[in-house]
Amino acid sequence: MTSPTGSTEIIGILGGMGPAATADFYAKLVSMTPGRSDQDHLRTVIWSDPTIPDRTEALLGDGPDPTPWLLNGSRVLREAGATVIAIPCNTAHAFVPRIADHVGLPIVHMIGEVARHLATLRPAVSTVGLLATTGTVHAGLYQERFGRYGIHLVLPDPSQQDHVMTAIRDVKAGQHGLAGVSLADAAQELITRGAQAIIAGCTEIPLGLPADALGLPLVDPAVVLARALVRRARAA
Amino acid sequence: MTSPTGSTEIIGILGGMGPAATADFYAKLVSMTPGRSDQDHLRTVIWSDPTIPDRTEALLGDGPDPTPWLLNGSRVLREAGATVIAIPCNTAHAFVPRIADHVGLPIVHMIGEVARHLATLRPAVSTVGLLATTGTVHAGLYQERFGRYGIHLVLPDPSQQDHVMTAIRDVKAGQHGLAGVSLADAAQELITRGAQAIIAGCTEIPLGLPADALGLPLVDPAVVLARALVRRARAA
């Protein structure tokens, strides 16, 4: 039952963080796969367990460690036949070092792919603003990867960061309109401080902030990850 | 790792028919689940194998039988822990009688749920138009279930049915705009012939024909199925 496109890859999506972002990510993966019929698309298995503890709360020391849930989901995906794992949740990437050696499958690192993508946009883009969860910011996930490529990062000040986190929770609660205003405000402040592109660094953000809301590039890590998976699968 | 909502249900989605419709179905399931945070949502596992042979071609005797692919996907979902199976593809329901006894899990029957839903709309709605694949029409899936409830069904004439099938293939190829015109035309003809509601009886159709395009109810079986799954999970 090999794909007629010749790819033996089976994409494993470790999702549920949150569930709407998982659905959105899979839609993006499908729309980025070139094809004229169903049969041109990639086989995919998705484990979406929204009961996994909140990643930001764990990183701030306020909640249980989600690592056992991530390991369990990875096991389900591997047993289902997945050949590669994608995690469409920025904050969950803080836990990748804890699971990578136990998963038995390669993980395509979303934040690493974003850094590689932005490196191709230099010198036009050298300073980038980040909208992300407080967990992602505190864990330094973007800071570390971007440092390797010499990309300068600007972050919201603490009070704006609180608004961004509230907006992300609003999206998770289905209140997209409310969230859009706060996210656009926070982005504008980063632009004033020199950002030449904004990273929608939480998979909920593109659900609240449309790609054309800012007048400068809004980088969606889910799109970058989907593109990397399609490229990899077509090579497989 | 039980859901805090108390549901022990794990939804198994047998998808990939087509992949965009699977992403759309999962988004609908998430949006119909009441909740304020990720953790209120249902655990879900999705097997999306778009390499499964075309269901309409098989039903018209022009292609291989997809039954082995459906059985394989059901096995993957069961082994991943699914407690119930949903198949967001109308045409694939022609093969449900061949797999039901081998799956080891209940299947929530999408077309049966649509018939039950429409029965609640009588007497306001007693005649319903069907837009579906030629495979679904030939297999008599809606005719059989609707007959049980005394709902009268109107179908496109053979030339209009060809246009509907072309529109469905256009959606699968990402040509949504083209498809919308043909689908709206076919729906209008069914309305002229007495239809008081139209069933978007292929999961690709709502991707090409917006819910508000007709001025009378457009029943989306994916929404009806999602609602039935949420109801079931909350009772579990």
Side-chain angles (χ1 to χ4, degrees):
Chain A
M1 298 185 189
T2 311
S3 160
T5 55
S7 179
T8 52
E9 192 97 292
I10 299 181
I11 311 289
I13 300 176
L14 189 53
M17 305 174 279
T22 299
D24 181 60
F25 175 69
Y26 184 48
K28 283 168 180 163
L29 179 63
V30 172
S31 75
M32 307 224 132
T33 309
R36 289 282 316 160
S37 71
D38 289 356
Q39 288 74 21
D40 295 328
H41 282 268
L42 297 166
R43 287 175 296 168
T44 304
V45 54
I46 304 172
W47 175 250
S48 184
D49 182 358
T51 68
I52 182 171
D54 187 277
R55 283 68 60 200
T56 288
E57 287 177 9
L59 290 170
L60 301 180
D62 290 338
D65 181 1
T67 305
W69 278 259
L70 294 168
L71 285 171
N72 177 56
S74 303
R75 181 190 53 74
V76 169
L77 294 174
R78 188 182 63 241
E79 289 177 0
T83 55
V84 62
I85 285 186
I87 309 174
C89 171
N90 289 269
T91 320
H93 278 71
F95 303 92
V96 164
R98 303 189 200 174
I99 67 168
D101 290 343
H102 307 283
V103 165
L105 291 175
I107 298 173
V108 177
H109 197 285
M110 180 158 64
I111 298 171
E113 293 297 331
V114 172
R116 280 171 43 159
H117 167 66
L118 282 168
T120 68
L121 301 182
R122 284 180 310 185
V125 175
S126 61
T127 299
V128 178
L130 176 66
L131 299 179
T133 63
T134 307
T136 295
V137 172
H138 276 240
L141 298 176
Y142 277 91
Q143 294 89 320
E144 187 226 333
R145 293 274 169 166
F146 281 31
R148 295 189 201 173
Y149 289 93
I151 303 163
H152 183 65
L153 201 62
V154 273
L155 300 169
D157 66 36
S159 119
Q160 278 285 10
Q161 179 58 43
D162 287 347
H163 289 141
V164 171
M165 195 66 220
T166 302
I168 290 167
R169 295 207 200 282
D170 284 343
V171 172
K172 288 181 186 288
Q175 307 287 323
H176 297 198
L178 258 178
V181 178
S182 315
L183 293 171
D185 269 4
Q188 282 307 337
E189 202 192 274
L190 297 176
I191 293 167
T192 308
R193 288 167 51 209
Q196 296 154 311
I198 299 290
I199 300 163
C202 167
T203 41
E204 263 76 16
I205 290 176
L207 304 178
L209 185 66
D212 56 359
L214 301 179
L216 93 187
L218 181 69
V219 178
D220 181 348
V223 168
V224 175
L225 177 60
R227 209 185 289 133
L229 290 168
V230 170
R231 214 167 37 226
R232 198 190 128 95
R234 290 171 73 86
Chain B
M1 299 186 191
T2 310
S3 160
T5 57
S7 179
T8 53
E9 192 97 292
I10 300 181
I11 311 289
I13 300 177
L14 189 53
M17 306 174 279
T22 299
D24 181 61
F25 174 69
Y26 185 49
K28 283 168 180 162
L29 179 62
V30 172
S31 75
M32 306 224 130
T33 309
R36 288 284 315 160
S37 72
D38 290 355
Q39 289 73 20
D40 295 329
H41 283 267
L42 297 166
R43 286 176 297 169
T44 303
V45 54
I46 303 173
W47 175 249
S48 184
D49 182 359
T51 68
I52 183 172
D54 188 276
R55 285 65 63 199
T56 288
E57 287 177 10
L59 290 169
L60 301 180
D62 290 337
D65 181 2
T67 305
W69 277 259
L70 294 168
L71 284 172
N72 177 56
S74 304
R75 181 190 54 74
V76 169
L77 295 173
R78 188 181 63 242
E79 290 177 1
T83 55
V84 62
I85 285 185
I87 310 174
C89 171
N90 289 268
T91 319
H93 279 70
F95 303 91
V96 165
R98 304 188 198 174
I99 67 168
D101 290 344
H102 307 282
V103 166
L105 291 176
I107 298 172
V108 177
H109 196 285
M110 180 159 61
I111 298 172
E113 293 297 331
V114 172
R116 280 171 44 158
H117 168 65
L118 283 168
T120 67
L121 301 182
R122 284 179 311 186
V125 174
S126 60
T127 299
V128 178
L130 176 66
L131 299 179
T133 64
T134 307
T136 296
V137 172
H138 275 240
L141 298 176
Y142 277 92
Q143 295 89 321
E144 188 227 332
R145 293 274 169 165
F146 281 32
R148 296 189 200 171
Y149 289 92
I151 303 163
H152 183 65
L153 201 63
V154 274
L155 300 169
D157 64 37
S159 117
Q160 279 283 9
Q161 179 58 43
D162 288 346
H163 290 142
V164 172
M165 195 65 221
T166 302
I168 291 167
R169 295 206 201 282
D170 284 342
V171 172
K172 286 180 187 290
Q175 307 288 323
H176 295 198
L178 259 178
V181 178
S182 314
L183 293 170
D185 269 4
Q188 282 307 337
E189 201 192 274
L190 297 175
I191 294 167
T192 309
R193 287 167 51 207
Q196 296 155 312
I198 299 290
I199 300 164
C202 167
T203 40
E204 263 76 16
I205 290 175
L207 305 179
L209 185 67
D212 56 0
L214 301 178
L216 92 189
L218 181 69
V219 179
D220 181 348
V223 169
V224 175
L225 177 61
R227 210 185 289 132
L229 290 168
V230 171
R231 213 166 38 226
R232 198 189 129 96
R234 289 171 73 84

